[in-house]
Amino acid sequence: MEKTREKYVSRVCQHRMTTAIQSQIKAYLKGFHELVKPDLISIFTAKELELLISGMPDIDINDLKKNTGYQGWKATDKEIS
């Protein structure tokens, strides 16, 4: 029963993440490839490309605080700190 459930969940996830949104994926790729030609990105692995697009997965809070500019607020305001 557990294996059947796992298989079902896996297939539902696969469908929702690929098949069900196929037209959106194609539209995204069409637009992306208008900006960046496929042969230019083919040198990167999927992980490297993700890093280039999304940046580092960890947020350096101290760096963020140091480089944040406020308009109408101060870093010491209770809403900020």
Side-chain angles (χ1 to χ4, degrees), residues 6-22:
E6 287 177 19
K7 194 173 191 178
Y8 171 78
V9 169
S10 176
R11 287 186 177 176
V12 167
C13 290
Q14 178 71 20
H15 172 73
R16 289 184 180 173
M17 297 298 292
T18 57
T19 310
I21 59 169
Q22 190 65 37

Side-chain angles (χ1 to χ4, degrees), residues 27-43:
Y28 174 85
L29 284 175
K30 180 181 177 201
F32 183 76
H33 288 150
E34 285 178 10
L35 297 173
V36 182
K37 300 300 177 209
D39 58 317
L40 294 177
I41 60 171
S42 65
I43 63 170

Side-chain angles (χ1 to χ4, degrees), residues 58-70 75 80:
D58 298 321
I59 298 173
D60 184 340
I61 297 297
N62 291 326
D63 183 57
L64 182 62
K65 287 178 179 179
K66 184 173 76 175
N67 293 291
T68 298
Y70 299 98
I80 306 296

